[in-house]
Amino acid sequence: MFGLSWRKRWNPSGSLAIVTGASSGIGRELVALLIADGCRVIAVARRAERLAALTDQFGDRVVLLVGDVTDPRSVDEAIAIIERSGEGRLDLLVNNAGIGGIGRFDAADESRLRQIMEVNFFAPAMWCRRVIPLMRSNRDRHPVICNIGSVLGHCAVPLKSEYCASKFALHGLSDSLRTELAGDGIAVTLVSPSTTRSEFFDSLVGTDANQVSRSIGSWPPERVAQATLRAIKRRDNETILSLGGKSLVYTDRIVPALLNQILSRSVKS
C-alpha cells in the first residue's frame, strides 16, 4: 500500500458510486459492502438476470444499468441516471469489469488482443474521461476513481501477454491521472489483486478449453472487495494484494533477470 497520510478520507455514507462488472465476483461483493456503509450504487453489467438479484437484495439502494462497458451508450445512461437524481455529482467510480485470455501470443489472432484491450483499458479510460467533470464539481466530498488492475500490470508473465499489456496500460493511465487530477481534489486508487477465485476464468477470450492458468496466491472475491474498499476509503495511491502477488512484483523489481529465467522455463515445461 502506498498512500499519503494527509489526504482526506472518502466517506461512503450518503455517497453515490458507479461499479462496473457488478453482477459477480469482486464487483458484486464491493456493491454489497458499499451499500452496507450507506452508499448508493449504480451497478453496471451485461447480465440482466444477475443484476436483478441485486435489487432483490438491496432494493432502491442500487440502480441497475444493463449494458456493455465498452459501449458509450452505457456511460450516457449512467450520467443520465445521475442527472435524473437531481444531484449531478458522483463520488466514486470503480472500473472493475475485465476479461482475460491464455495462450501464446503468436498462436492467437488479433481479435483476442483487441477485445481484451477494449474491455480492460479503453473502457475504463472512457468512463474516467466522462465522469471527471461530475467529480470535479464535487471535490468537497473527496471523490475517488478506483481502477482494478492486477499484479500482472506490474510484472508480466508468459501466456497472458494481452492481459498483461492491458493492465500495464491501466497502471500507466492511473499513475498519470493521479497527478493530473490531484489539484481537482480527485484521488486515483489502483488496486492490484493476484488471482481471484471468481467466474473470471469461465469466460476467457480466444483460449483453448484445456488451457490451465498458473498463478501464485489467490484470494476469494469478498476478501479482494474488502481490501479494495479500505484502499478507497484511505484514498490510497496503490495497493498490491496477496503475499504471492507482492512476492512476484518485488522479485521482478529486485532480480528481474532471474525471474525471467524462471518464467521462461515454466513455458518450456
Side-chain angles (χ1 to χ4, degrees), residues 31-85:
V31 168
L33 291 174
L34 287 166
I35 291 175
D37 274 358
C39 185
R40 291 177 299 119
V41 180
I42 300 172
V44 185
R46 291 178 300 160
R47 295 179 290 182
E49 70 283 358
R50 298 294 294 272
L51 276 180
L54 292 174
T55 299
D56 296 338
Q57 185 175 358
F58 301 115
D60 61 5
R61 299 297 300 173
V62 62
V63 179
L64 308 185
L65 198 170
V66 179
D68 188 329
V69 293
T70 67
D71 188 342
R73 291 173 295 184
S74 296
V75 191
D76 293 340
E77 179 58 25
I79 293 174
I81 291 170
I82 295 170
E83 291 175 345
R84 286 197 298 269
S85 72

Side-chain angles (χ1 to χ4, degrees), residues 93-96 124-125 128 145-150 167 170-171 173-175 177 188-193:
L93 168 68
V94 181
N95 283 309
N96 167 70
C128 287
I145 293 172
C146 177
N147 291 326
I148 305 298
S150 170
K167 293 301 184 178
L170 186 62
H171 183 171
L173 177 69
S174 300
D175 286 354
L177 285 182
V188 179
T189 296
L190 177 67
V191 176
S192 299

Side-chain angles (χ1 to χ4, degrees), residues 127-237:
W127 283 81
C128 287
R129 190 188 306 276
R130 295 291 302 279
V131 305
I132 284 171
L134 298 176
M135 292 184 161
R136 184 178 287 123
S137 62
N138 192 35
R139 62 181 299 160
D140 290 345
R141 291 189 60 84
H142 318 300
V144 179
I145 293 172
C146 177
N147 291 326
I148 305 298
S150 170
V151 296
L152 301 188
H154 298 260
C155 173
V157 299
L159 305 182
K160 298 179 181 178
S161 56
E162 298 96 343
Y163 181 79
C164 292
S166 69
K167 293 301 184 178
F168 264 85
L170 186 62
H171 183 171
L173 177 69
S174 300
D175 286 354
S176 185
L177 285 182
R178 185 178 303 117
T179 56
E180 288 185 17
L181 299 177
D184 296 315
I186 303 171
V188 179
T189 296
L190 177 67
V191 176
S192 299
S194 185
T195 302
T196 303
R197 299 195 288 273
S198 68
E199 298 175 17
F200 179 86
F201 293 102
D202 296 337
S203 56
L204 296 172
V205 178
T207 301
D208 186 282
N210 298 316
Q211 182 70 58
V212 176
S213 174
R214 299 178 180 179
S215 58
I216 301 175
S218 64
W219 280 10
E222 57 269 24
R223 187 176 179 187
V224 176
Q226 290 165 1
T228 297
L229 185 54
R230 285 196 297 270
I232 291 170
K233 288 180 177 179
R234 293 191 300 247
R235 303 174 89 228
D236 288 340
N237 288 346

